[in-house]
Structures are given as C-alpha cells and as structure tokens.
Amino acid sequence: MSIDTALPLLYSYRRCPYAMRARLAMLQARRPFQTFEIVMRDKPAELLALSPKGTVPVLRLTDGSVLEESWDILRWALESPDADGWWSRAQSEDNLLLLNTNDGAFKRHLDRYKYPDRYPHEETTRETARANAVATLLTPLEARLQRQRYLGGRAPCATDLAIFPFVRQFAAVEPDWFHDQPLPALHAWLAQWLGSDLFAVCMTKRPVQIAAVFPTFQPIH
C-alpha cells in the first residue's frame, strides 16, 4: 500500500465506535492524517506487526511510535495545544467516571443487548441487558444533560466524542424503542452529534485496504 510517511497513519474500521471516536478527535483537532480502512477478516500484516492484538484504532505516528488505545489517541490529538479546552474539560472527576462507565459496564451490557447470540451460556436476557445499559449510563447521562448542553458544560469536550459513538450504537439497535424512552436531553444531544458536520466527515466512506488522506475539517467551537 502507498503510505505518506510524513502523516500519521490511523488503522480504522468505519463502524467501530472506538475507531469512530479516534477519527472524531483527529478531525476536531485538525490533525492531518491518513487512514487505512481494514477488513476484519483480512487484517493487514502491517497492522498486526504494529499491534498484535489486531483491534482498531491503531495510530502510527510519524516518529514510528504507536498508540493502540482510542483514549490515548484522543489525548494525543487534543491535549497539546488545548486552546479550545476540549481535553481539559474532559478531565473532571465526573467526566472521567462517565468514560470509565461507558468503556466498562455499559459496553458489556451493550454487547449483550446488540449481540445476544454471542453469549448463549449467560442467563442475562436481551431485555435485561438493555435495562442494565440504561440504568448504568443513559440515565446518568440524561441527568447531566438536563443541567448542561454538553458533557463539557457549555461547550463539548473529549468525553462527548468518546461516549457519543456508543450511545449511537445503542440507539440503533431498536430505534423506535429508544425514541419512546423518557430521555429528552439525551435524545437532543445524540441528534445534535448525528447531525453535525464533524460526524458527517468522520463517517465518509474511505477506500478499503488503501491508505487515504482524510479531508480537512473546520472544527466545532
């Protein structure tokens, strides 16, 4: 594959929420980068050489160093410089707790809700997993967003970018059911991100198994 070694290379998968949050952060930070859209059943040898775990996102920086976790990629993209406060606003105790809940208990319930056939030996039903996901994260998110527009307060932050793709994934399992839930602030927050130019650019279809430069983007302020 043809790679511009002067740009960071992000191994990604369009629908993966972890990869999605990495692309969102890179775009918001206006970090020029190229992306390599993988095929899950045919992962490139170059990716496995950089990160034997074989999951995305993986970011290879121009100095050859590698970031294998999505939150580390968000930090690299947004922390320095942080003129708009996207990283600093994410460092509050409440936001770090929400991130930990999202990536831990909520993701576990989400997997069992969306892919119940993958867990045939567990007693948890799909409906129970759904209820647990709501109680674990969505209800606390609703309470926060009733008080403020974003998880960053008056302005968004890295936590919004990190959690949004997972809430999107949850909402897409049973859209009509989700729409009927008494979560008006969360619905508005999700709709705003889904309708943003940032998300539209993030989800632009890229060539598969080819390194391609992402378009530049005017960030959200």
Side-chain angles (χ1 to χ4, degrees), residues 21 40 42 48 72 75 78 81 84 99 123 175 180 215 217:
R21 63 165 53 155
M40 288 296 189
D42 186 22
L48 298 175
D72 291 335
R75 176 186 289 112
L78 296 167
D84 295 324
L99 177 70
E123 296 182 1
D180 291 340
F217 172 75

Side-chain angles (χ1 to χ4, degrees), residues 5 23 31 35 45 55 59 72 85 93 163 168 193 199 216:
T5 56
R23 297 195 307 274
R31 298 278 191 181
T35 184
T55 60
L59 180 65
D72 291 335
E93 183 177 351
I163 291 179
R168 169 188 176 271
W193 285 109
F199 181 64
T216 56

Side-chain angles (χ1 to χ4, degrees), residues 55-68:
T55 60
V56 293
V58 171
L59 180 65
R60 193 200 68 188
L61 301 177
T62 56
D63 64 2
S65 58
V66 177
L67 300 177
E68 300 182 75

Side-chain angles (χ1 to χ4, degrees), residues 12 16 29 41 45 58 74 84-85 104 110 117 120 124 143 146 148 180-181 184 190-191 203 210 215:
S12 184
C16 169
R41 64 180 179 275
V58 171
L74 266 72
D84 295 324
L110 172 58
D117 293 344
T124 302
Q146 288 279 358
Q148 56 194 54
D180 291 340
Q181 300 311 298
L190 177 62
M203 295 303 287
I210 296 175

Side-chain angles (χ1 to χ4, degrees), residues 104-134:
F106 178 74
K107 181 61 165 61
R108 184 178 186 278
H109 298 316
L110 172 58
D111 287 345
R112 284 152 182 78
Y113 171 43
K114 185 174 183 179
Y115 310 109
D117 293 344
R118 294 183 182 179
Y119 307 94
H121 303 298
E122 295 190 13
E123 296 182 1
T124 302
T125 65
R126 185 178 191 181
E127 290 72 22
T128 299
R130 183 178 69 187
N132 289 339
V134 171

